[in-house]
Amino acid sequence: MSNYVLNMQNITKVFPGVKALDSVSLDVEAGTVHAICGENGAGKSTLIKVLSGVHPSGSYEGTILVDGVDSSFINTADAEKKGIVCIHQELELIPKLSVGENVFLGNYPVKNGFIQWDKIYAETDKLLKQVGLGEESDKSGHHIDPNEKIFNLGIGQQQLVEIAKALARNARILILDEPTAALTEKEVDTLLGIIDGLRKKGITCIYISHRLDEVIRIADQVTVIRDGKSIGSEKIEKITKQDIISMMVGRELKNLFPRVKHERGELVLEIRNYSVKDPNIQGKRLVKDVNIQAYKGEILGIAGLMGAGRTEFFTSVYGAFPAQKSGEVYIDGELIKIENTVNALKNGIFLVTEDRKRYGLVLGMDVKENTTLASLEKVASFGYVDVNKEIYETTKYIKSLKTKTSSVEAEVKKLSGGNQQKVVLQKALMTSPKVLILDEPTRGIDVGAKYEIYKIMNQLVDEGVVIIMISSEMEEILGMSDRIVVMSQGKITGEFDYQDATQEKIMQASIGGSNG
């Protein structure tokens, strides 16, 4: 007798002009964690939308079997009746409602026409204990009251509330889409522990992640999708991280970091005695008397733990952080004054934000509008935007960066994460920056797209652009930086040439800051 709880057979899904899925099959054993890996745009999200009822039956070809029974869903509620629940990367919680209200949202128990609030909060309390947020399960004392408002919770806690919400719907097959993208290492450990506990209780999990170390750690089996097709499926003990990468990108990436020997040139950016005050706490400084130099012909890596002050420092230098600051900024030896981002752009500084969807892009605009947004004077005539110039300039950068988009007029929100990041880079490059600050430039994008971003960075350095890369990924810092500066608690606590840098040295510097 088959132990498969789910069989998706020859699923084909076509959008206008694009075959998103081409006869994809997925077989998932009951009570296991089954990972789905693939580059952005490979078809992973489309596949789980078919499975969870977002794409209803009739909109795709192929068969879905649940417990061997032919199943099709007209919407997500229909899928949930079969125990298939999806937790999307963008959490679907209502901040102003309580935990209990969110857990049972759309699923409130009713008796004699009245919602049973006592039952909701009692059941929520039991569910929170199952996911490590209850009083008995959280020995640290950080248990969550079912009456607590969602906006008071951290992202990691919200992720666990989403799992509690899924369990309230009697989830038998739980789909988790990039569940750790915004979590700290400790929160990741907690979440993976909860998933392991669910597996032991017989709940099947489908785990979608770019973080292959997590996949190797938690999954029983992995399926790889590339360009809308099934590439292969294997037990985790029979496959390596490098095998998965090769299947994802269609080629072997022996060196994930295409290091190029750069020759350091003249000093371009110098920052002296720079401090930034905390806008929320009087008397506290987020950045404390920082001095830093960046040279032409180098990638300057900025390392440090969360809360080190890296983002606040460079966002302030860029004129975008709403807090009092002091210090001096020099470009090519000339003292400049930056009160806002317009000043920064005029002086050749551009910041690619860590949160591209909120601050880097206007998701409702198309590719060309996003590309030219910071350089409208280059495509305008007599106060009006020349659309032909917009198309010409955008097409030039699309070709240069190899951005995958159906057209310059495609909505940027429909692009994969890696291609959205390329559009942000298109916008940056159109400003002709002298200094390009990249804050977490490869966060949330797959390994193939990361490799392409790294090659673009090397190309820009060769063209004379100064690259400053803020990254929380140790491998990325060591793999791409020519020189590494470490920050801790708002101060510079270490500096290394890449030949001398090690994980141990960087970590020691990262935890070595004082509280002064």
Side-chain angles (χ1 to χ4, degrees):
M1 184 175 176
S2 173
N3 192 36
Y4 290 118
V5 68
L6 172 70
N7 305 92
M8 300 183 74
Q9 300 174 344
N10 302 315
I11 303 297
T12 298
K13 173 68 177 174
V14 178
F15 296 103
V18 179
K19 184 177 277 190
L21 297 173
D22 187 0
S23 296
V24 172
S25 294
L26 178 71
D27 300 312
V28 180
E29 292 184 22
T32 64
V33 176
H34 194 117
I36 301 177
C37 295
E39 296 188 85
N40 282 338
K44 306 185 300 295
S45 294
T46 303
L47 185 67
I48 64 169
K49 285 178 180 177
V50 167
L51 174 58
S52 60
V54 175
H55 296 316
S57 58
S59 70
Y60 59 88
E61 297 176 7
T63 305
I64 298 175
L65 302 177
V66 179
D67 297 323
V69 177
D70 194 346
S71 305
S72 58
F73 312 117
I74 58 173
N75 52 37
T76 55
D78 197 24
E80 287 178 2
K81 289 176 184 176
K82 280 277 190 177
I84 299 171
V85 182
C86 182
I87 299 175
H88 297 279
Q89 187 173 354
E90 305 292 336
L91 300 183
E92 297 178 338
L93 299 172
I94 299 178
K96 292 186 178 181
L97 294 185
S98 70
V99 171
E101 288 171 312
N102 272 278
V103 166
F104 282 90
L105 190 65
N107 191 30
Y108 293 147
V110 175
K111 185 176 182 180
N112 298 325
F114 294 95
I115 295 174
Q116 295 178 282
W117 291 109
D118 288 346
K119 183 176 181 179
I120 285 173
Y121 287 112
E123 290 297 320
T124 298
D125 194 49
K126 292 178 185 177
L127 292 167
L128 292 177
K129 288 173 183 175
Q130 288 188 48
V131 299
L133 292 177
E135 189 167 359
E136 294 173 7
S137 54
D138 189 352
K139 305 302 182 187
S140 66
H142 296 143
H143 57 272
I144 303 302
D145 190 302
N147 291 283
E148 187 70 72
K149 295 289 190 286
I150 288 293
F151 62 71
N152 288 325
L153 306 187
I155 293 297
Q157 293 171 323
Q158 290 184 30
Q159 188 73 257
L160 296 178
V161 170
E162 279 279 21
I163 293 177
K165 181 178 170 183
L167 297 179
R169 284 158 171 71
N170 298 313
R172 296 173 56 240
I173 302 173
L174 180 62
I175 307 166
L176 299 113
D177 187 5
E178 297 290 350
T180 63
L183 304 188
T184 64
E185 285 187 23
K186 186 176 180 181
E187 289 171 335
V188 169
D189 289 340
T190 299
L191 179 63
L192 295 185
I194 296 300
I195 293 171
D196 186 42
L198 295 176
R199 169 170 48 193
K200 290 173 181 175
K201 292 178 181 177
I203 294 174
T204 304
C205 296
I206 296 176
Y207 192 88
I208 299 165
S209 180
H210 291 124
R211 299 184 175 185
L212 299 188
D213 289 333
E214 292 172 14
V215 168
I216 297 292
R217 178 177 163 188
I218 193 65
D220 297 293
Q221 186 150 349
V222 59
T223 293
V224 176
I225 299 174
R226 185 175 76 234
D227 298 329
K229 297 180 180 180
S230 306
I231 300 302
S233 185
E234 191 58 86
K235 297 285 186 183
I236 205 69
E237 61 268 19
K238 295 182 179 180
I239 199 167
T240 67
K241 181 178 174 181
Q242 187 60 50
D243 292 333
I244 298 172
I245 291 170
S246 298
M247 292 167 72
M248 284 171 60
V249 302
R251 62 192 184 281
E252 187 176 358
L253 294 180
K254 291 184 179 179
N255 183 0
L256 297 180
F257 305 98
R259 181 179 292 284
V260 173
K261 186 177 181 181
H262 299 130
E263 295 295 331
R264 186 202 280 191
E266 63 270 22
L267 177 64
V268 176
L269 173 69
E270 183 176 15
I271 302 170
R272 300 179 186 171
N273 303 318
Y274 203 94
S275 296
V276 180
K277 291 187 176 180
D278 190 323
N280 300 313
I281 302 175
Q282 189 172 2
K284 181 180 178 182
R285 290 186 299 167
L286 298 174
V287 179
K288 306 161 187 176
D289 302 314
V290 167
N291 292 276
I292 207 165
Q293 299 83 35
Y295 296 83
K296 186 174 287 189
E298 74 171 355
I299 296 175
L300 176 62
I302 309 295
L305 303 176
M306 288 185 67
R310 299 169 301 166
T311 293
E312 292 84 355
F313 172 41
F314 284 101
T315 306
S316 176
V317 169
Y318 186 58
F321 191 71
Q324 189 176 346
K325 58 189 178 182
S326 61
E328 297 176 340
V329 179
Y330 294 83
I331 290 286
D332 295 328
E334 182 180 342
L335 179 64
I336 62 172
K337 191 172 184 179
I338 300 176
E339 297 296 339
N340 50 49
T341 56
V342 174
N343 297 152
L345 291 171
K346 286 181 178 178
N347 284 284
I349 302 173
F350 193 100
L351 170 70
V352 172
T353 173
E354 63 178 332
D355 191 340
R356 60 179 171 267
K357 289 188 175 181
R358 288 181 65 192
Y359 302 120
L361 298 167
V362 181
L363 296 178
M365 287 184 174
D366 63 28
V367 172
K368 73 176 185 322
E369 290 167 332
N370 273 281
T371 300
T372 60
L373 195 58
S375 309
L376 289 175
E377 71 282 355
K378 293 184 179 180
V379 293
S381 300
F382 306 107
Y384 293 93
V385 172
D386 185 328
V387 176
N388 289 329
K389 280 186 181 179
E390 259 195 320
I391 293 172
Y392 173 79
E393 292 292 338
T394 302
T395 302
K396 183 172 68 176
Y397 288 110
I398 286 173
K399 289 180 179 177
S400 175
L401 273 59
K402 298 179 182 177
T403 308
K404 292 181 182 177
T405 177
S406 57
S407 91
V408 296
E409 294 179 335
E411 285 188 20
V412 77
K413 65 183 176 184
K414 294 182 179 178
L415 272 57
S416 67
N419 286 302
Q420 286 182 352
Q421 188 73 335
K422 287 185 178 182
V423 174
V424 179
L425 288 173
Q426 289 174 191
K427 180 171 72 170
L429 298 185
M430 196 165 170
T431 68
S432 304
K434 292 180 179 180
V435 178
L436 181 57
I437 304 166
L438 305 173
D439 194 354
E440 305 289 359
T442 65
R443 174 176 286 171
I445 63 177
D446 59 73
V447 65
K450 285 185 178 184
Y451 191 80
E452 292 180 2
I453 297 292
Y454 298 145
K455 290 199 295 184
I456 291 167
M457 289 166 59
N458 283 328
Q459 176 188 330
L460 293 174
V461 171
D462 290 341
E463 293 172 1
V465 179
V466 175
I467 299 284
I468 298 175
M469 178 184 68
I470 306 166
S471 178
S472 299
E473 292 189 27
M474 187 74 78
E475 290 182 347
E476 186 170 73
I477 283 287
L478 290 167
M480 286 304 297
S481 305
D482 297 295
R483 185 164 54 96
I484 300 163
V485 168
V486 185
M487 289 186 68
S488 175
Q489 299 182 45
K491 292 184 174 183
I492 302 292
T493 52
E495 183 174 334
F496 311 93
D497 287 327
Y498 82 89
Q499 299 99 322
D500 302 322
T502 64
Q503 290 194 35
E504 291 76 15
K505 287 180 180 179
I506 292 173
M507 184 54 66
Q508 185 60 47
S510 295
I511 63 178
S514 68
N515 291 312

